[in-house]
Amino acid sequence: MLLIPVKMQAQARTKMPIFTKPADILKALQRNQSKISLALDSRRSFVNRQDVNMPGIRVGLDFDGLVRVGGGLYFLSSDVYHQFLLSDPATGGPYTAIGKLNFRYVSIFFEPVLLRSKRWEISIPLHLGIGDSYYEGAGFELSQPKTALLSEASLSCQYKILPWVGLSGGVGYRRLLREINPTGENLHAPIYIFSIKFFAEWVYLKIFNPERSEEW
């Protein structure tokens, strides 16, 4: 994860945990203090009980470390196959074709921070997305693309090892708001995330404003 400061005022990180109140988030959104948040979001999930990788990228604004909003792009990178029985147009006879599942979507997210301290952060990322799903064979589509409407909710925990690097993990669930797969693939599934985060804002302050970097 990469954090880039934009009109940002660094806030001191207290050693004791601070619980966020809804009023704090509202005030943070109203203040003109934010930073760009760019993250390579690595996550895993399941399709028909098969463990799959669904990486993505998301970009948004971080308001005073209390709430993040923005958008993301995610796609299925693992191989999920389905066997189709088709009719040969030349002979009229049946033949078997193997199709690979393609699944991708874009989302908007809202991530309030529940608890924060100098090293710890607990947040609830909420996603609402739209995308498509289809099977692709040897140079042609084996099924028509179907629109996917989905929601995701998860609980994320972050631990800052050093001022510029930390570990992040989380668990959640993806729920389809509209069924999309005619062959019965189940895309309602848990998600789990583990990643290493790099905080460019600390490096930025260390270079251009060393005194303020000591606040982090």
Side-chain angles (χ1 to χ4, degrees), residues 64-75:
D64 204 22
L66 296 176
V67 61
R68 289 179 279 269
V69 296
L73 172 65
Y74 300 90
F75 64 96

Side-chain angles (χ1 to χ4, degrees), residues 3-194:
L3 297 179
I4 305 171
V6 177
K7 295 183 179 179
M8 182 197 70
Q9 179 178 353
Q11 60 181 25
R13 300 295 182 176
T14 62
K15 294 182 179 180
M16 296 299 296
I18 297 177
F19 290 92
T20 303
K21 300 176 182 178
D24 297 332
I25 294 177
L26 182 59
K27 291 178 181 178
L29 292 172
Q30 292 173 342
R31 287 195 295 266
N32 188 26
Q33 295 176 1
S34 64
K35 57 192 172 186
I36 296 176
S37 173
L38 176 63
L40 298 176
D41 202 352
S42 177
R43 60 178 60 194
R44 300 195 68 87
S45 186
F46 299 90
V47 176
N48 284 355
R49 299 181 180 179
Q50 177 180 335
D51 187 15
V52 298
N53 189 30
M54 294 200 65
I57 183 172
R58 69 176 195 172
V59 61
L61 292 176
D62 183 311
F63 292 88
D64 204 22
L66 296 176
V67 61
R68 289 179 279 269
V69 296
L73 172 65
Y74 300 90
F75 64 96
L76 175 67
S77 65
S78 300
D79 294 336
V80 177
Y81 295 102
H82 184 86
Q83 184 172 294
F84 290 82
L85 184 61
L86 303 177
S87 176
D88 190 326
T91 64
Y95 74 98
T96 299
I98 303 298
K100 179 182 177 181
L101 178 63
N102 287 275
F103 177 42
R104 59 200 175 194
Y105 63 93
V106 295
S107 72
I108 56 175
F109 69 86
F110 178 79
E111 183 180 1
V113 176
L114 300 183
L115 181 146
R116 60 197 172 100
S117 67
K118 184 176 181 179
R119 294 187 178 273
W120 289 96
E121 177 185 289
I122 298 177
S123 64
I124 304 180
L126 305 171
H127 288 254
L128 183 64
I130 183 171
D132 59 21
S133 171
Y134 63 94
Y135 281 92
E136 188 175 32
F140 61 96
E141 292 181 2
L142 293 172
S143 65
Q144 293 295 320
K146 301 294 182 181
T147 300
L149 298 176
L150 58 93
S151 63
E152 288 183 357
S154 58
L155 179 67
S156 177
C157 182
Q158 170 187 295
Y159 178 73
K160 187 176 289 187
I161 303 173
L162 297 171
W164 53 274
V165 66
L167 298 177
S168 177
V171 294
Y173 195 81
R174 179 180 63 246
R175 178 74 182 178
L176 269 67
L177 306 177
R178 176 177 175 179
E179 298 292 345
I180 61 176
N181 287 298
T183 53
E185 268 60 30
N186 182 16
L187 299 179
H188 304 280
I191 57 175
Y192 60 98
I193 306 164
F194 179 79

